[in-house]
């Protein structure tokens, strides 16, 4: 570790080479759509620094290009993220346009954006179109959740989860899929996924009567707001070292960037949302989704950066 720069002694690319690995594309089957950085929360782990002060949102014209791309290529899954997608004015237009074009339309929600009249309208739309909901919940308790997301967020999140259960989301055997995502609230790595899932399931059911389908645990990526937290708290070097030591070469094969394209609110293409945060364009230069006439073929190299270490800890970021 270079203490002066906060950089790892061995870059991610060098680590891959040492293990005789390369980061290249397989068949592209997924499209991730970042609708913008506007959010009603300012979470401590956010690599994009989304929040109430951000105004970036995808306009309807770019949404139309995304829908047209989905019709050209028929992705197996399309993943809508942000910021908070629910804050984007024309979200219903995009959801209705994409739902017929993919087997699996996913929307990532911070839960609190589902409150109010607009939230209820969106919930009815999600249920009608069987949108898969992936909800962020840092922990199964109030203290850790609010340490990352702010005071009052826990109760609002539980209310939203209960409402989703009322609509049929997350219930055993229900086709309305509700999954949770947990990110650590500090400078440490997440527990094993299955262990965390059972604890979440037990605690949420016993204390709040809430059920869900799957829990995914991911390491925080040292970018944006989380990196600044690490720097302020004196934890940057130690956290980067944890990521380096935890590198799992077996996780490289399943990384999401190998089968996914990411598009931002302006229509620009990336290999993943973390490269989006860093401005690392797909193919090495700015390219718009409107100009995409063919998907990148298997074997196409993917640029790597040191933040990729966070995607290869444990079971990986897939």
């Amino acid at each position: 570790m270079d203490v002066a720069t906060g950089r790892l002694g061995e870059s991610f690319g060098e680590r891959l080479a040492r293990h005789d690995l390369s980061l290249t594309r397989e068949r592209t089957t997924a499209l991730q759509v970042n609708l913008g950085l506007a959010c009603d929360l300012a979470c401590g782990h956010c690599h994009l620094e989304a929040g109430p002060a951000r105004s970036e949102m995808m306009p309807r014209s770019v949404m139309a290009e995304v829908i047209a791309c989905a019709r050209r290529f028929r992705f197996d899954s399309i993943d809508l993220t942000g910021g908070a997608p629910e804050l984007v004015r024309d979200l219903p237009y995009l959801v209705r346009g994409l739902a017929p074009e993919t087997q699996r339309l996913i929307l990532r929600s911070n839960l609190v954006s589902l409150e109010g009249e607009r939230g209820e309208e969106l919930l009815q739309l999600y249920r009608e179109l069987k949108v898969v909901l992936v909800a962020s919940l840092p922990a199964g308790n109030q203290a850790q959740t609010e340490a990352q997301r702010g005071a009052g967020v826990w109760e609002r999140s539980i209310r939203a989860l209960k409402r989703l259960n009322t609509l049929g989301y997350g219930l055993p055997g229900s086709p309305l899929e509700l999954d949770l995502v947990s990110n650590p609230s500090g400078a440490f790595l997440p527990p094993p996924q299955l262990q965390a899932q059972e604890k979440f399931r037990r605690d949420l059911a016993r204390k709040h009567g809430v059920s869900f389908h799957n829990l995914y645990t991911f390491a925080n990526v040292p970018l944006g707001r989380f990196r600044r937290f690490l720097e302020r708290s004196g934890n940057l070097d130690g956290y980067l070292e944890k990521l380096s030591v935890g590198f799992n070469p077996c996780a490289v094969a399943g990384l999401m960037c190998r089968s996914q394209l990411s598009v931002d609110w302006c229509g620009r293409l990336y290999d993943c949302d973390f490269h989006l945060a860093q401005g690392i364009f797909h193919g090495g230069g700015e390219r718009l989704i409107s100009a995409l006439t063919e998907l990148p073929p298997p074997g196409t190299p993917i640029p790597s950066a040191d933040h990729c270490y966070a995607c290869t800890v444990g079971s990986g970021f897939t």
Side-chain angles (χ1 to χ4, degrees):
M1 172 72 66
D2 185 333
V3 177
T5 63
R7 288 181 57 84
L8 293 162
E10 184 177 41
S11 73
F12 187 76
E14 290 168 342
R15 179 67 60 88
L16 290 178
R18 183 156 65 84
H19 286 271
D20 198 26
L21 294 170
S22 60
L23 193 57
T24 57
R25 283 193 163 271
E26 296 182 337
R27 188 171 68 89
T28 301
T29 60
L31 179 68
Q32 186 172 61
V33 184
N34 191 307
L35 294 171
L37 303 183
C39 189
D40 36 13
L41 299 177
C43 297
H45 74 294
C46 186
H47 62 281
L48 288 163
E49 301 189 83
R54 305 300 293 264
S55 60
E56 296 93 331
M57 290 189 187
M58 181 176 285
R60 194 179 181 104
S61 59
V62 175
M63 291 181 180
E65 295 293 353
V66 170
I67 294 169
C69 178
R71 288 173 179 161
R72 289 197 299 275
F73 299 116
R74 300 291 299 186
F75 297 96
D76 292 348
S77 65
I78 299 177
D79 182 351
L80 306 181
T81 187
E86 287 91 352
L87 299 186
V88 179
R89 182 184 59 190
D90 286 327
L91 177 62
Y93 165 77
L94 181 64
V95 169
R96 288 196 179 279
L98 291 177
E101 308 303 334
T102 183
Q103 303 172 34
R104 185 175 173 84
L105 180 60
I106 303 165
L107 185 133
R108 297 178 185 260
S109 176
N110 67 14
L111 291 174
V112 302
S113 298
L114 294 173
E115 291 186 320
E117 183 177 340
R118 176 173 167 83
E120 186 62 31
E121 291 174 359
L122 290 171
L123 285 173
Q124 297 299 332
L125 176 64
Y126 300 160
R127 182 171 69 168
E128 173 194 343
L129 299 177
K130 293 184 172 55
V131 176
V132 175
L133 296 182
V134 177
S136 180
L137 192 69
N141 63 76
Q142 180 174 352
Q144 286 179 281
T145 295
E146 296 194 352
Q148 186 181 106
R149 316 199 80 176
V153 170
W154 174 256
E155 290 187 2
R156 296 168 70 188
S157 298
I158 293 299
R159 283 201 303 268
L161 289 170
K162 288 182 175 180
R163 177 58 182 146
L164 287 166
N165 283 173
T166 299
L167 292 171
Y169 270 98
L171 302 181
S174 171
L176 298 173
E177 184 175 340
L178 171 62
D179 299 328
L180 302 182
V181 169
S182 169
N183 294 82
S185 56
F188 47 88
L189 301 179
Q193 190 160 286
L194 288 179
Q195 173 187 323
Q197 178 173 276
E198 290 312 305
K199 188 176 190 311
F200 263 70
R201 197 181 304 283
R202 182 174 60 251
D203 290 349
L204 290 179
R206 178 170 57 87
K207 298 176 183 178
H208 306 286
V210 166
S211 67
F212 61 92
H213 287 121
N214 305 292
L215 174 75
Y216 300 105
T217 59
F218 296 127
N220 290 322
V221 179
L223 298 175
R225 198 174 288 130
F226 184 64
R227 188 179 185 93
R228 293 210 313 275
F229 156 75
L230 293 173
E231 292 170 342
R232 288 196 310 271
S233 61
N235 284 304
L236 178 61
D237 292 345
Y239 188 75
L240 293 178
E241 187 68 22
K242 287 178 185 177
L243 295 182
S244 177
V245 170
F247 174 78
N248 176 10
C250 297
V252 174
L255 290 179
M256 60 182 180
C257 59
R258 303 194 68 199
S259 59
Q260 171 188 279
L261 272 178
S262 181
V263 57
D264 73 3
W265 51 95
C266 296
R268 298 171 296 196
L269 294 171
Y270 308 82
D271 293 294
C272 71
D273 205 53
F274 306 122
H275 278 19
L276 184 159
Q278 289 293 88
I280 303 173
F281 292 112
H282 167 69
E286 183 173 328
R287 186 182 182 188
L288 298 178
I289 194 170
S290 58
L292 191 65
T293 57
E294 61 179 2
L295 296 177
T300 301
I302 300 170
S304 67
D306 286 349
H307 60 252
C308 298
Y309 272 111
C311 295
T312 53
V313 169
S315 58
F317 210 126
T318 58

